[in-house]
């Protein structure tokens, strides 16, 4: 498994432009929320102890698995992501109960991606997931890291990933020019 430093520096290498990062603070949450609405629409529940009150659906299971991955990468960032995902799980489960929730999820998903691609026009770099699908999971992790950095937390992590990201970006740009 790649380390948090490796994952974040790869993601940051195509997210150095502040305008691109700002668009991601809108686009990524929209994509996540819409995906969770969609997961809540999958009619599978995993009852625990034969109690209908204590059950897990596809959205909950996905959240637990992804949060587990984040905790393996970096516990402090994963804690912040846990605080983010709880209201996402709650609101997406409520919305999924209404007629038209699937259409709302699709529309929100598309808007989120449009915002993402606008950001990458500022960046003049393709999205990170184009070369590595795992980077789709790193987007929220990266944004949480950015929140921590803005709040003055995890300064050592920022100091470690930034030069690696810049080196990776230079290599990407050099490869582009070489084609």
């Amino acid at each position: 498994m790649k380390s948090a430093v490796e994952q974040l520096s790869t993601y940051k290498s195509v997210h150095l432009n502040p305008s691109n990062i700002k668009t991601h603070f809108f686009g990524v949450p929209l994509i996540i929320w819409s995906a969770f609405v969609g997961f809540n629409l999958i009619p599978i529940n995993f009852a625990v102890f034969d109690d209908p009150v204590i059950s897990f659906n596809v959205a909950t299971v996905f959240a637990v698995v992804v949060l587990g991955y984040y905790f393996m990468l970096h516990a402090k960032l994963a804690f912040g992501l846990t605080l983010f995902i709880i209201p996402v799980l709650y609101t997406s489960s409520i919305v999924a109960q209404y007629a038209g929730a699937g259409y709302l999820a699709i529309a929100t998903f598309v808007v989120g991606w449009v915002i993402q691609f606008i950001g990458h026009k500022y960046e003049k770099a393709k999205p990170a997931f184009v070369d590595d699908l795992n980077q789709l999971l790193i987007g929220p992790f990266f944004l949480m890291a950015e929140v921590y950095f803005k709040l003055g937390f995890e300064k050592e992590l920022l100091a470690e990933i930034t030069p690696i990201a810049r080196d990776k970006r230079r290599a990407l740009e050099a490869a582009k020019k070489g084609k």
Side-chain angles (χ1 to χ4, degrees):
M1 181 172 83
K2 294 178 182 176
S3 70
V5 169
E6 191 174 357
Q7 297 277 17
L8 288 169
S9 62
T10 298
Y11 199 89
K12 189 171 184 69
S13 71
V14 291
H15 297 87
L16 293 168
N17 182 298
S19 295
N20 185 26
I21 295 170
K22 286 176 189 170
T23 64
H24 280 56
F25 272 102
F26 291 97
V28 169
L30 289 173
I31 293 165
I32 292 168
W33 184 82
S34 64
F36 275 93
V37 171
F39 292 151
N40 275 293
L41 292 172
I42 299 171
I44 299 172
N45 284 311
F46 308 97
V48 178
F49 307 117
D50 293 325
D51 184 349
V53 175
I54 304 171
S55 68
F56 296 97
N57 61 12
V58 173
T60 307
V61 171
F62 180 77
V64 168
V65 169
V66 172
L67 287 170
Y69 173 64
Y70 292 154
F71 271 100
M72 289 189 311
L73 286 174
H74 194 283
K76 290 178 185 174
L77 294 179
F79 177 75
L81 283 158
T82 302
L83 294 178
F84 164 77
I85 207 66
I86 290 169
V88 168
L89 278 169
Y90 179 71
T91 59
S92 65
S93 69
I94 291 170
V95 169
Q97 296 173 27
Y98 292 98
Y103 296 115
L104 177 62
I106 291 167
T108 304
F109 190 82
V110 169
V111 168
W113 277 108
V114 167
I115 292 169
Q116 295 291 91
F117 287 120
I118 290 169
H120 280 280
K121 288 288 184 189
Y122 291 118
E123 189 75 49
K124 297 183 176 90
K126 62 186 174 184
F129 75 88
V130 172
D131 294 326
D132 180 0
L133 284 177
N134 184 56
Q135 291 292 296
L136 286 170
L137 293 176
I138 300 303
F141 190 69
F142 170 80
L143 291 177
M144 188 55 63
E146 289 291 311
V147 169
Y148 278 47
F149 301 155
K150 293 283 185 210
L151 294 173
F153 303 128
E154 298 300 320
K155 292 177 184 177
E156 290 129 16
L157 180 61
L158 177 61
E160 192 172 357
I161 67 170
T162 301
I164 298 169
R166 287 191 181 129
D167 289 346
K168 287 182 180 202
R169 182 59 173 269
R170 286 185 195 111
L172 288 170
E173 290 173 356
K176 247 199 268 186
K177 288 181 184 178
K179 286 186 178 180

